Amino acid sequence: MLALNGNRQETAPMAPKESAAPAANVFEVAQQQLYRAAEVVQLDPAIRTILSQPKNELIVNFPVRMDDGSYRLFKGYRIQHSNIMGPYKGGVRYHPHVHLDEVKALAAWMTMKCALMEIPFGGAKGGVKFDPRQHSRDELERITRRFTHALGSNIGPNYDIPAPDMGTNSQTMVWMMDTYMNSAGQTDKNALRGVVTGKSPTSGGSLGREHATGLGLVYTIQEWAAETGFNLDGATFAVQGYGNVGAHAARILSRMGAVLVAVQDHTGAIRNTEGVHPQRLSKYVQTVGGVAGYPGGEIIDRRDFFSTPVDIFIPAAMEMQINADTAPLMRCKLVVEGANGPTDLDGERILADRGVTVLPDILANAGGVTVSYFEWLQNRRAEQWTEEDVELRLERMMQRAYATMRRLREERGVDNRTACHVHALSRIQAVYHERGIFP
Ligand code: NAD
């Protein structure tokens, strides 16, 4: 008999000691950001109402066989916020703290990000509530395939296109693609490769996608440095989260002469005022699983990490990390949001009062979805662009979005985040006004 025990559903473990509990409801923060910009653009109240909630909320519970023969039930989400600008688009997160409001917020930010970047996609996000670190590669493959199967026709290359996020990577995307292709029953399977982006280049991914978010982040920092006359050579920075976004951003920024002095992840925090070597730390994290114990830095606690004086602070882990507790500790000129939603409303107010500039998530980390769009285009056209071509196109799009933010900030007298949302909402409103609201 199938040993399926509902009590074995994955539950969130206690938050690690090094991480603070989320300070605010993340979906409410996303809504407040949207409403603030809606006032500035005098958004049609009907459009404001539509955008205040996602269009579709899908929750699936699915069983997966573990290596020991037992079965475990997993909870997965796919939230489709808006497809007025194009197919739903957004990552899939594997993390023990995934919950409905989090995925709703992340989906709403994707709508704003794609509209800001002028990419023809809407917004979505997905997740499965479990800790991928606790599972073997075989279990991860079965979880991914079973989740993809459970999503069924709710995803598709012209309908809803997932991508990697926390806890997922190019391998996860290739498993998703393969499962979708084999379930769709179409003879031309290659036409379905665009169902996900962030695949490995050998399986239809784009060159340059792996480090695109980190690179895009650095392009926005360069724009800020050019705008303010700041010299990145010798500048100091700290990174929270040393995964795809944080590690690539650190590596690329250090090539410009900037010095990484503090890093925190789910295992702990380290500091070295002489400089942490980004690549050596990456190798260590890949081997050991986290930054704790890295020999090239002193061990510090969460409070010390946030208090370390740096020019640039890059949150690249969870949301709501910069809040009423941590923002007063921070001593930096610039916060560049690699993570989605790392700053809550209190944190944002405190940073503003203290004169800290914020480059908001929907701009700063948009390099990932931008190169995902390039990948989707390459799949449709059966092309393979060079890495140089990808990076050049990305740079131009990041520069254009930064220039738009800067212009709207000055014209409307608003902060960077609101300026970005203003551009996104104005574009969405223009489409609604032309098409009308169905029926
Ligand atoms: P990842 O899984 O590669 O790395 C996540 C990192 O965060 C790890 O170093 C982990 O140790 C750390 N972390 C987890 N919980 C933590 C905690 N409580 N305190 C401190 N550190 C913690 O994930 P990623 O793809 O780098 O994503 C990081 C952030 O960037 C997320 O907010 C994600 O939504 C956002 N983002 C990712 C992409 C992308 O292309 N991967 C694109 C845009 C935005």
Side-chain angles (χ1 to χ4, degrees):
M1 210 179 100
L2 194 72
L4 177 63
N5 180 352
N7 292 332
R8 291 206 59 200
Q9 175 147 344
E10 293 269 336
T11 50
M14 295 291 286
K17 262 190 188 161
E18 282 289 326
S19 65
N25 180 301
V26 58
F27 183 58
E28 280 171 22
V29 172
Q31 282 179 313
Q32 290 308 319
Q33 292 171 352
L34 190 146
Y35 296 158
R36 203 163 57 195
E39 274 184 31
V40 178
V41 291
Q42 296 181 321
L43 192 70
D44 184 329
I47 301 172
R48 183 184 185 275
T49 302
I50 292 170
L51 295 177
S52 69
Q53 290 289 336
K55 230 168 145 178
N56 303 313
E57 300 178 21
L58 179 67
I59 302 180
V60 292
N61 292 298
F62 55 94
V64 179
R65 183 171 48 78
M66 299 291 99
D67 291 341
D68 65 4
S70 68
Y71 280 80
R72 189 171 288 187
L73 201 59
F74 290 80
K75 187 180 284 292
Y77 302 83
R78 188 68 187 169
I79 304 298
Q80 297 166 333
H81 179 259
S82 169
N83 62 350
I84 188 75
M85 308 300 276
Y88 298 111
K89 183 86 188 85
V92 170
R93 175 175 291 193
Y94 289 173
H95 194 277
H97 296 151
V98 164
H99 59 92
L100 182 59
D101 275 352
E102 176 185 64
V103 194
K104 282 171 67 174
L106 293 166
W109 282 319
M110 284 306 297
T111 300
M112 296 296 130
K113 194 181 299 181
C114 293
L116 166 69
M117 295 306 294
E118 307 189 10
I119 290 170
F121 287 143
K125 204 81 179 193
V128 183
K129 186 182 182 67
F130 79 109
D131 185 353
R133 292 186 180 87
Q134 304 298 320
H135 294 270
S136 69
R137 182 188 157 93
D138 284 351
E139 288 180 351
L140 288 175
E141 177 173 354
R142 288 197 292 274
I143 293 163
T144 301
R145 288 189 183 277
R146 195 61 179 75
F147 177 51
T148 309
H149 182 76
L151 293 178
S153 58
N154 291 292
I155 57 171
N158 298 311
Y159 181 62
D160 183 353
I161 307 145
D165 191 74
M166 281 185 81
T168 58
N169 56 26
S170 58
Q171 177 63 75
T172 323
M173 293 305 114
V174 173
W175 287 328
M176 286 191 83
M177 176 194 75
D178 186 72
T179 308
Y180 182 83
M181 277 179 172
N182 282 298
S183 314
Q186 204 173 307
T187 46
D188 183 9
K189 289 193 170 163
N190 279 333
L192 303 177
R193 287 189 308 174
V195 63
V196 288
T197 58
K199 303 177 289 284
S200 63
T202 28
S203 291
S206 177
L207 295 171
R209 174 61 183 89
E210 179 74 21
H211 61 275
T213 309
L215 181 61
L217 202 84
V218 175
Y219 286 147
T220 62
I221 296 172
Q222 284 181 306
E223 291 306 293
W224 168 81
E227 182 191 344
T228 57
F230 182 83
N231 187 2
L232 287 174
D233 191 4
T236 53
F237 68 104
V239 178
Q240 187 194 39
Y242 212 69
N244 176 289
V245 178
H248 282 300
R251 177 179 57 78
I252 299 165
L253 205 50
S254 71
R255 280 205 315 241
M256 291 162 190
V259 182
L260 175 63
V261 295
V263 183
Q264 189 207 21
D265 74 358
H266 74 289
T267 62
I270 55 157
R271 179 166 60 197
N272 186 342
T273 48
E274 299 295 308
V276 176
H277 195 284
Q279 277 100 324
R280 267 181 231 143
L281 180 61
S282 283
K283 281 205 181 103
Y284 180 84
V285 169
Q286 273 160 22
T287 315
V288 175
V291 304
Y294 178 65
E298 57 167 329
I299 298 170
I300 53 171
D301 65 15
R302 179 181 171 81
R303 215 181 149 77
D304 286 339
F305 171 73
F306 277 95
S307 317
T308 300
V310 282
D311 296 310
I312 303 168
F313 186 95
I314 303 175
M318 303 290 290
E319 51 275 356
M320 308 291 106
Q321 295 294 303
I322 301 176
N323 50 44
D325 293 334
T326 55
L329 305 173
M330 293 170 65
R331 289 185 280 165
C332 60
K333 295 182 177 64
L334 179 71
V335 170
V336 192
E337 294 184 338
N340 287 301
T343 312
D344 77 6
L345 300 174
D346 289 336
E348 182 146 55
R349 189 177 33 75
I350 293 163
L351 292 181
D353 288 349
R354 302 181 60 209
V356 177
T357 300
V358 176
L359 297 181
D361 45 10
I362 62 169
L363 170 77
N365 70 34
V369 73
T370 303
V371 177
S372 276
Y373 167 53
F374 298 162
E375 178 174 331
W376 184 77
L377 280 179
Q378 289 170 74
N379 288 164
R380 281 171 84 97
R381 299 173 183 174
E383 290 178 357
Q384 178 82 71
W385 302 354
T386 65
E387 192 163 322
E388 294 71 37
D389 195 9
V390 167
E391 291 187 354
L392 196 64
R393 287 173 194 246
L394 173 63
E395 185 175 16
R396 286 203 201 111
M397 287 183 67
M398 298 305 299
Q399 286 173 340
R400 184 181 64 183
Y402 188 98
T404 302
M405 174 190 77
R406 185 177 173 182
R407 176 176 58 76
L408 287 169
R409 181 187 70 213
E410 287 163 5
E411 280 176 16
R412 306 290 185 115
V414 293
D415 58 54
N416 283 337
R417 192 186 312 281
T418 306
C420 289
H421 277 81
V422 162
H423 186 59
L425 287 178
S426 304
R427 295 190 67 240
I428 292 170
Q429 170 147 272
V431 175
Y432 267 116
H433 278 166
E434 276 183 22
R435 286 174 52 174
I437 297 168
F438 184 81

